[in-house]
Amino acid sequence: MRQEDELDFDKHRKREGKRERPDLRSLIPVAAVSLLLLIIISVLIAARAGSEKKAAASAGSLQSAQEEGADFSGNGTDGSSPRTNPAENGTDGSSPRTDPAESGTDPSDPQDALSGGMSSQTGEPADVKELLTAEGSAETAGQTVGIDVSKYQGTIDWQQTAASGVDFAMVRIGYRTNQTGEILADGNARYNLQEAQANGIKTGAYFFSTAVTEEEALQEADWMADYISQYAVTYPVAYNCEGFDDPNSRQYGLTQAQRTDIAIAFLTRICERGYTPMFYAAKTELDGDACWDTSRLQQQFRLWIAWYPDTAAKGGADALLTDSSVRDAGGAMWQYSDRGTVPGIPEQVDLNIAYFDYEGTADAKNDMAPEQAFADAEALMRFSEINETVTAKEKVNLRDIPGQGDDSTVLATLSNGETMTRTGISDSGWSRLESDGQIFYAISSYLTTDLSYRPAENEGAGSGDGLKTKFSPAGDTVTAKIEVNLRALPSVTNPDAVIVAVLHNGENVTRTGVSSEYGWSRVEYNGQTLYCISSYLTVVE
């Protein structure tokens, strides 16, 4: 916590209705005044110790790591459930968790180039002067622990996250695209605001900007303020702008002064709309006015500084609480890791410490309650938009989300000869289907656009008991297209052909033989010779 003699909050905020303090000496004797002052000082010391103890308790459960990833819970577990085996007839299959970088980039989202994260640079000190602050909720001195999230964290179980000790969440609300300059909402913005607040986590917000004029910055700020107006946004609203030195960026060629003016326009309008503005950047970008006119920005706005030093990675909670580098640089919030592991969050997440707290929660600016929001099922997958009619090769399960985990529900089944409209397909192996206004997801490999297709004899069934199946030698490396059962014998009818294991996409095995007559492959798996359907495999290049 910042000491009172280091930063007088009353001197560094623009407040309305500032009250004059009464002269206590005219009301009580001098001795009583001294006694009262001693009591006040004791209370302040106790309050500061309490807030530091609270922050230590929260930060103590965060283990930040540059190399291995930061574990908020301290145990590194993800609580995932074991996979279920797909049916042999191809009714279903599961999709491995998809890394956004592997599922195809989104060229329209400027944050996608950062793998869904924020900056990871380092830097040196700056100073704080006068800060603009909204009056939505009474602010207190202290340290709080938080995260910043976007669609790239997937569907968050906010109940688990709240139980882990997270005090606040900075939620990405939207971004301006690099190609067209269109403003788009983050796919999970409303869901994250709704669920974080429902579970007692206070929220702030940020916008990823590619504005090239002050007019565009004002448009972004007004769009942002309108979007969050129905939610209780207590923590600051931040401006995030990166990648401006990339020739493909809309902002490439802008001067440092121009970019700073654009940021100031956004943040000033945010303050006018009743929110506390905050500017986000890496420490190296702020140091010595390296990439921004820091000396101008820090005169008016809070700074949210990204810096990932060794003390955060190796020193644990004590180091986090005692490292004053970011505070000395004028930072109001420190993003100290981009590899956090937090219960309830399926992907790595940025971790933060704020050097302030709030007594309560701000009221929403708009009295109209927001509609219920639902998680974006496609948040971690990139779907290419198409419009075509498909049928099942045999039979396929239709699910509510593109996955086969415990959170996925089979809503219906599509059989060969029945048709649906496919509106999207992802390179992670899933198709989006629509029927009567309802959206479903199915494994793409079990679908076909050939509406005259009729299923052949079940694959592998012709081998009978599998005891006489002949294999031609092979020596290639293969993996499952999605996943495939590995059996003791090349048969789906022999009772002894039990399922020994399931091979998932990304797990490589050596194929030692192929039966082209019956469609079986012989593979070596953990020292065992096992058999699987060849069509469910793909060769690893």
Side-chain angles (χ1 to χ4, degrees), residues 204-532:
Y206 74 94
F207 184 90
F208 202 106
S209 173
T210 61
V212 295
T213 65
E214 293 180 42
E215 289 72 21
E216 284 192 349
L218 295 176
Q219 180 190 27
E220 292 175 351
D222 284 329
W223 179 92
M224 178 83 156
D226 290 340
Y227 195 99
I228 64 177
S229 64
Q230 294 175 292
Y231 298 91
V233 176
T234 304
Y235 272 70
V237 174
Y239 178 85
N240 180 204
C241 173
E242 302 171 57
F244 42 78
D245 53 355
D246 186 332
N248 295 319
S249 170
R250 296 179 75 237
Q251 298 172 319
Y252 187 72
L254 291 177
T255 67
Q256 179 171 309
Q258 287 173 323
R259 284 188 287 101
T260 302
D261 288 338
I262 290 169
I264 289 175
F266 177 99
L267 294 168
T268 302
R269 177 59 60 87
I270 285 295
C271 187
E272 293 170 352
R273 295 294 298 268
Y275 299 99
T276 297
M278 183 165 66
F279 179 79
Y280 172 91
K283 203 161 180 279
T284 47
E285 295 179 348
L286 296 171
D287 176 39
D289 289 3
C291 298
W292 298 93
D293 292 349
T294 310
S295 52
R296 285 201 289 150
L297 289 165
Q298 65 186 4
Q299 294 288 335
Q300 304 177 70
F301 310 112
R302 294 174 179 272
L303 299 182
W304 178 9
I305 300 178
W307 183 50
Y308 312 147
D310 289 342
T311 53
K314 301 176 181 178
D318 290 340
L320 291 173
L321 295 176
T322 58
D323 192 324
S324 63
S325 301
V326 170
R327 282 180 290 181
D328 293 342
M333 187 179 292
W334 175 17
Q335 184 187 90
Y336 66 88
S337 175
D338 63 344
R339 299 182 183 180
T341 300
V342 179
I345 302 181
E347 303 295 326
Q348 290 183 330
V349 62
D350 297 336
L351 304 179
N352 302 272
I353 289 179
Y355 301 112
F356 53 89
D357 197 356
Y358 295 93
E359 289 182 356
T361 301
D363 294 329
K365 309 298 183 187
N366 188 335
D367 293 334
M368 183 179 296
E371 295 182 1
Q372 183 178 4
F374 298 93
D376 180 4
E378 301 176 10
L380 295 180
M381 298 183 186
R382 175 166 170 76
F383 279 75
S384 300
E385 300 299 318
I386 55 177
N387 189 347
E388 59 189 12
T389 302
V390 296
T391 187
K393 292 178 179 178
E394 293 186 37
K395 184 180 293 185
V396 62
N397 287 336
L398 304 178
R399 296 179 171 270
D400 60 341
I401 62 173
Q404 201 194 1
D406 291 341
D407 56 345
S408 172
T409 302
V410 177
L411 303 176
T413 301
L414 181 69
S415 298
N416 179 259
E418 300 173 337
T419 62
M420 297 184 75
T421 300
R422 176 159 58 185
T423 61
I425 187 168
S426 78
D427 52 9
S428 58
W430 288 91
S431 286
R432 184 203 311 127
L433 308 177
E434 287 192 17
S435 178
D436 295 329
Q438 188 172 1
I439 295 177
F440 303 90
Y441 296 91
I443 301 295
S444 298
S445 61
Y446 301 152
L447 300 171
T448 178
T449 56
D450 181 2
L451 303 184
S452 63
Y453 179 92
R454 293 296 177 265
E457 183 180 10
N458 287 339
E459 290 183 276
S463 62
D465 61 12
L467 299 177
K468 297 181 179 180
T469 303
K470 295 182 179 181
F471 289 84
S472 300
D476 50 356
T477 301
V478 296
T479 188
K481 292 179 179 177
I482 298 177
E483 63 181 29
V484 61
N485 290 334
L486 302 181
R487 293 179 172 272
L489 292 171
S491 172
V492 293
T493 59
N494 190 332
D496 292 331
V498 295
I499 297 172
V500 177
V502 178
L503 182 69
H504 302 287
N505 177 266
E507 295 179 295
N508 298 340
V509 294
T510 299
R511 177 162 55 183
T512 61
V514 176
S515 171
S516 57
E517 181 179 7
Y518 299 121
W520 286 92
S521 285
R522 183 179 64 219
V523 300
E524 294 298 317
Y525 180 85
N526 290 340
Q528 302 178 78
T529 298
L530 301 174
Y531 303 87
C532 61

Side-chain angles (χ1 to χ4, degrees), residues 180-194:
T180 65
E182 179 184 6
I183 294 177
L184 297 178
D186 183 281
N188 270 336
R190 292 193 187 278
Y191 177 80
N192 284 336
L193 287 171
Q194 168 188 284

